Amino acid sequence: MSGHSSYVPKTGIERWLDARLPIVRLAHDSAVSYPVPRNLNYLWTFGGILVFMLVAQIVTGIILVMHYTPHATMAFNSVEHIMRDVNYGWLLRYLHANGASMFFIAVYVHIFRGIYYGSYKAPREVLWILGVVIFLLMMATAFMGYVLPWGQMSFWGATVITNLFSALPVIGETIVTYLWGGYSVDNPTLNRFFSLHYLLPFMIFGVVVLHVWALHHVGQNNPTGVEVKNVEKDTVPFTPYATIKDLFGMVVFMIVFGWFVFYQPNFMGHADNYIPANPAATPAHIVPEWYFLPFYAILRAIPDKLGGVLAMGSAIVVLAFLPWIDTSKVRSMNYRPIARQLFWAWLVVCIGLGYLGAMPAEGGYVVASQIFTVLYFGFFVALFVVGLFERPKALPTSIADSVLASAKGGSAARLATATAAEPNVKG
């Protein structure tokens, strides 16, 4: 949806800068005059929330690093030093630790919204793939960050997850040795993870720039899935309309974030991570952070180690192929009755996998994980098949028509309610 710039420099300095480095024009065209569909709902505010959370994680992380010591004998104590001795260190750490969870909450909403409204379909395939790349980088960054406190769950989580690479034929053992920096998880491992945990957020930021660039080039999707036909009728300027909506959504999100930071800062963590890492004492139940649990359940559902690793990796990578898996010509599942039911069932399956990932790998939990794993991948097969024969509802002719139809429907409903509430004067 990129087009002719509407920016007009007003002062001599602006004209001088615009002729040499049109950064003000870029900001104006991207965040002020950029046209967005007029029917976007609050689910579209999570893109802005994610950018805010990324910046917040980078800023709090940089400050925490000033006081953290990446050494196996001092890491745990340095975190306690941050919590007890550094001015507002407790706040910085809780912002960073809970910020990771809130970051993933926002990204999961963003992903599910994209799937429901078909935001991966042409011409947005590259936009979607870049989003999956960001998701993979986020997972790598979060895993390495979870290791840094060097508590029991940090140490044993690193041991279990890095060991998975040994399942790969030929190169597996070599990869594990390089990750560990030796023959077991120890100080070299912590140093490697610290270095990468510091580097990857800046890589994420770079891919986010490409993601936003791709978004602004092809334009935003919308709840109807209908492309913009008339810019004046179908769109509104990003500022003030989308800006105000994004700010409101961000404030509500920050209130929830603040509640966790100040009232339940350890709710999404694990108690065992307040015990220093001990290679001689294995925790009774090793679990990753909550946002990895669905994939952890898939990993444990496959009896074969290599099969489990491939299944877990496929569960993420398959998302990148959604533009070609979904064969329907209609984007939004609002107009696809069968696909919509499949989506909600799949969402329940994902939540179920998250629950099963937190349970012990025994008895009925393993069987349930295997069933839910089949259902998880079955969704993508069903999406391919359903798209071939599903008969979608009639699409609105334009975004403006869908907005007007919604407004008229709401007015009619209010009129009917008001009429029914009137007293029967004749009686």
Side-chain angles (χ1 to χ4, degrees):
M1 206 184 292
S2 54
H4 180 70
S5 175
S6 61
Y7 172 68
V8 179
K10 295 181 175 61
T11 66
I13 293 176
E14 287 183 37
R15 286 191 290 271
W16 181 87
L17 182 62
D18 190 58
R20 291 157 178 81
L21 181 66
I23 191 168
V24 178
R25 179 183 297 275
L26 175 65
H28 181 275
D29 294 345
S30 302
V32 178
S33 63
Y34 177 72
V36 297
R38 62 172 61 244
N39 63 338
L40 298 186
N41 56 41
Y42 276 101
L43 291 175
W44 263 262
T45 64
F46 280 89
I49 288 169
L50 284 166
V51 173
F52 177 86
M53 290 306 302
L54 175 60
V55 173
Q57 289 298 97
I58 290 174
V59 171
T60 55
I62 289 173
I63 300 172
L64 286 170
V65 162
M66 296 175 186
H67 305 278
Y68 174 77
T69 306
H71 192 281
T73 59
M74 294 181 279
F76 186 87
N77 289 333
S78 72
V79 173
E80 290 304 306
H81 165 67
I82 290 169
M83 293 292 293
R84 299 169 189 272
D85 302 327
V86 176
N87 290 333
Y88 297 104
W90 63 271
L91 179 59
L92 286 167
R93 193 202 169 198
Y94 283 151
L95 283 171
H96 196 72
N98 287 281
S101 287
M102 298 305 292
F103 203 176
F104 272 94
I105 289 172
V107 85
Y108 280 130
V109 173
H110 197 60
I111 290 170
F112 284 123
R113 186 268 294 168
I115 293 174
Y116 184 85
Y117 291 115
S119 298
Y120 48 83
K121 287 183 173 289
R124 299 178 180 86
E125 302 96 329
V126 173
L127 172 66
W128 178 260
I129 292 169
L130 287 170
V132 175
V133 171
I134 293 169
F135 183 48
L136 287 167
L137 290 172
M138 279 181 61
M139 296 180 81
T141 306
F143 167 64
M144 291 174 185
Y146 190 53
V147 174
L148 300 187
W150 212 239
Q152 273 289 74
M153 204 54 65
S154 297
F155 177 86
W156 288 101
T159 302
V160 170
I161 300 303
T162 52
N163 249 313
L164 296 177
F165 289 97
S166 66
L168 299 175
V170 184
I171 60 171
E173 294 292 343
T174 304
I175 292 174
V176 172
T177 303
Y178 277 114
L179 284 173
W180 286 350
Y183 298 102
S184 65
V185 174
D186 207 335
N187 189 59
T189 318
L190 179 61
N191 275 270
R192 282 160 166 74
F193 280 25
F194 171 72
S195 178
L196 291 171
H197 183 69
Y198 199 94
L199 168 68
L200 287 177
F202 297 100
M203 292 181 63
I204 292 173
F205 192 87
V207 183
V208 166
V209 171
L210 293 177
H211 189 66
V212 174
W213 185 8
L215 172 70
H216 281 217
H217 181 70
V218 298
Q220 288 179 297
N221 189 29
N222 64 87
T224 64
V226 176
E227 290 292 338
V228 171
K229 293 182 173 65
N230 186 310
V231 174
E232 291 185 1
K233 291 182 178 180
D234 292 343
T235 66
V236 291
F238 188 87
T239 300
Y241 299 99
T243 306
I244 296 299
K245 182 178 278 190
D246 281 0
L247 286 174
F248 178 76
M250 203 173 293
V251 168
V252 173
F253 189 83
M254 290 305 112
I255 291 171
V256 178
F257 183 20
W259 183 83
F260 279 108
V261 169
F262 293 107
Y263 293 99
Q264 295 288 340
N266 297 302
F267 180 78
M268 291 181 279
H270 199 287
D272 280 3
N273 233 25
Y274 281 95
I275 303 171
N278 183 359
T282 309
H285 182 37
I286 300 172
V287 290
E289 288 281 65
W290 69 266
Y291 35 80
F292 295 137
L293 290 175
F295 307 106
Y296 190 57
I298 292 172
L299 169 71
R300 298 190 310 180
I302 311 298
D304 179 67
K305 186 177 181 180
L306 177 59
V309 171
L310 293 176
M312 181 180 68
S314 299
I316 304 168
V317 174
V318 70
L319 296 173
F321 294 93
L322 263 175
W324 300 277
I325 291 173
D326 187 357
T327 52
S328 175
K329 301 297 182 184
V330 176
R331 291 194 183 96
S332 176
M333 291 187 185
N334 279 338
Y335 303 95
R336 301 176 58 191
I338 301 176
R340 182 167 64 245
Q341 294 178 38
L342 286 173
F343 171 83
W344 291 114
W346 183 66
L347 179 59
V348 172
V349 167
C350 292
I351 295 170
L353 282 169
Y355 168 76
L356 293 168
M359 295 296 107
E362 58 189 30
Y365 293 125
V366 175
V367 176
S369 295
Q370 292 170 343
I371 294 170
F372 274 62
T373 298
V374 172
L375 293 174
Y376 178 91
F377 288 104
F379 168 75
F380 299 98
V381 177
L383 206 58
F384 178 85
V385 175
V386 165
L388 298 174
F389 67 84
E390 184 182 32
R391 304 182 72 177
K393 297 178 182 178
L395 294 172
T397 54
S398 68
I399 294 172
D401 287 347
S402 73
V403 174
L404 291 172
S406 177
K408 288 178 181 178
S411 301
R414 287 192 292 272
L415 179 62
T417 303
T419 304
E422 288 180 0
N424 191 344
V425 295
K426 293 181 180 180

